[in-house]
């Protein structure tokens, strides 16, 4: 179960969003250190939305019954299917702006806070985590398992974005990614659409039976 969730989460991370482009910009415009500080902030922001989704869904299921989970599975699956189809339709590669920023002194806490705010104010992250987790609630009824799941999201996000900061501080990597990013988006779209359809199917089955 943890492996399945990790693979889905990695597919989500591989698709560029505001957090991805912020880490890339910081590492390309300033330094690897700036990118890593941004990655730390973004990973801290993950704690908010992932915890909200994990503990919130478990609470709802415990207090309102199984029906809530299956309703969320259908709604969340529809959201993931929509994202997946949108990603499958991507035909253009990403482009990175020319580096024109001045090298200025960086303050660690300030840079971390900026990355944190990017995720805190990204409400789509809440919908994303809720959708992904909804199909696995039965596997995380105990508190220590919920905490392990939260740590899985946070640690995998931190490692991923630290690698992004390391790689995209190098111009050849940015150029290579610019040539093939649409295929990464399309592949992630297949994962999202497939998982979304599975959630919808399982959710509808509950109401049919």
């Amino acid at each position: 179960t943890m492996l399945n969730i990790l693979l889905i989460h990695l597919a989500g991370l591989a698709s560029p969003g505001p957090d991805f482009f912020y880490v890339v910009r910081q590492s390309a415009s300033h330094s690897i250190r700036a990118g890593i500080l941004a990655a730390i902030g973004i990973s801290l922001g993950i704690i908010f939305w992932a915890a909200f989704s994990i503990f919130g869904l478990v609470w709802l299921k415990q207090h309102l019954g199984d029906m809530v989970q299956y309703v969320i599975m259908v709604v969340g699956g529809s959201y993931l299917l929509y994202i997946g189809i949108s990603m499958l339709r991507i035909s253009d590669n990403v482009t990175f702006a020319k580096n024109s920023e001045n090298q200025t002194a960086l303050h660690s806490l300030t840079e971390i806070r900026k990355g944190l705010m990017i995720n805190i104010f990204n409400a789509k992250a809440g919908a994303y985590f809720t959708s992904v987790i909804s199909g696995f609630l039965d596997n995380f009824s105990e508190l220590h398992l919920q905490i392990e799941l939260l740590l899985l999201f946070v640690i995998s996000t931190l490692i991923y974005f630290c690698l992004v900061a390391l790689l995209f501080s190098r111009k050849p990597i940015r150029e290579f990614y610019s040539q093939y990013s649409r295929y990464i988006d399309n592949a992630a779209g297949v994962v999202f659409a497939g998982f979304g359809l599975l959630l919808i199917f399982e959710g509808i089955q509950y109401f049919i039976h």
Side-chain angles (χ1 to χ4, degrees):
T1 300
M2 285 287 194
L3 179 59
N4 291 335
I5 293 175
L6 176 61
L7 292 175
I8 295 168
H9 184 50
L10 290 177
L13 289 173
S15 176
D19 43 11
F20 174 86
F21 286 111
Y22 183 68
V23 172
V24 170
R25 184 174 69 83
Q26 290 300 93
S27 58
S29 299
H30 293 283
S31 63
I32 295 175
R33 173 174 170 264
I36 290 176
L37 290 172
I40 292 171
I42 287 167
S43 300
L44 291 175
I46 288 289
I47 295 176
F48 175 80
W49 287 116
F52 174 82
S53 302
I54 294 170
F55 300 119
L57 285 178
V58 170
W59 185 89
L60 285 173
K61 181 175 181 178
Q62 290 174 346
H63 289 78
L64 300 178
D66 290 339
M67 182 178 291
V68 172
Q69 176 184 353
Y70 289 100
V71 169
I72 293 174
M73 285 174 67
V74 173
V75 174
S78 301
Y79 175 71
L80 290 180
L81 178 61
Y82 166 75
I83 292 178
I85 292 174
S86 298
M87 293 168 69
L88 284 169
R89 296 175 64 184
I90 292 175
S91 58
D92 296 323
N93 293 310
V94 302
T95 56
F96 298 108
K98 299 285 186 179
N99 179 12
S100 59
E101 294 189 26
N102 296 322
Q103 296 294 326
T104 56
L106 297 175
H107 300 284
S108 298
L109 291 178
T110 300
E111 295 304 310
I112 291 174
R113 187 179 71 248
K114 289 178 182 177
L116 172 66
M117 290 298 103
I118 285 176
N119 254 349
I120 289 292
F121 290 108
N122 182 15
K124 289 183 179 179
Y128 162 77
F129 284 113
T130 300
S131 301
V132 170
I133 296 165
S134 64
F136 301 97
L137 280 184
D138 290 335
N139 301 98
F140 299 98
S141 57
E142 298 180 23
L143 180 60
H144 73 92
L145 294 175
Q146 296 164 26
I147 293 173
E148 287 178 11
L149 179 59
L150 178 60
L151 290 175
L152 174 72
F153 282 127
V154 175
I155 293 172
S156 60
T157 299
L158 177 60
I159 292 173
Y160 174 80
F161 281 119
C162 283
L163 288 174
V164 167
L166 176 64
L167 293 173
F168 283 83
S169 63
R170 308 176 190 283
K171 186 178 179 180
I173 297 295
R174 295 197 299 275
E175 292 177 345
F176 177 85
Y177 185 83
S178 292
Q179 293 179 349
Y180 299 101
S181 66
R182 62 174 175 167
Y183 300 111
I184 296 175
D185 284 333
N186 296 157
V190 171
V191 175
F192 276 9
F195 185 60
L197 286 171
L198 180 62
L199 286 178
I200 294 170
F201 177 73
E202 291 182 359
I204 291 176
Q205 270 195 321
Y206 171 85
F207 293 104
I208 292 176
H209 292 91

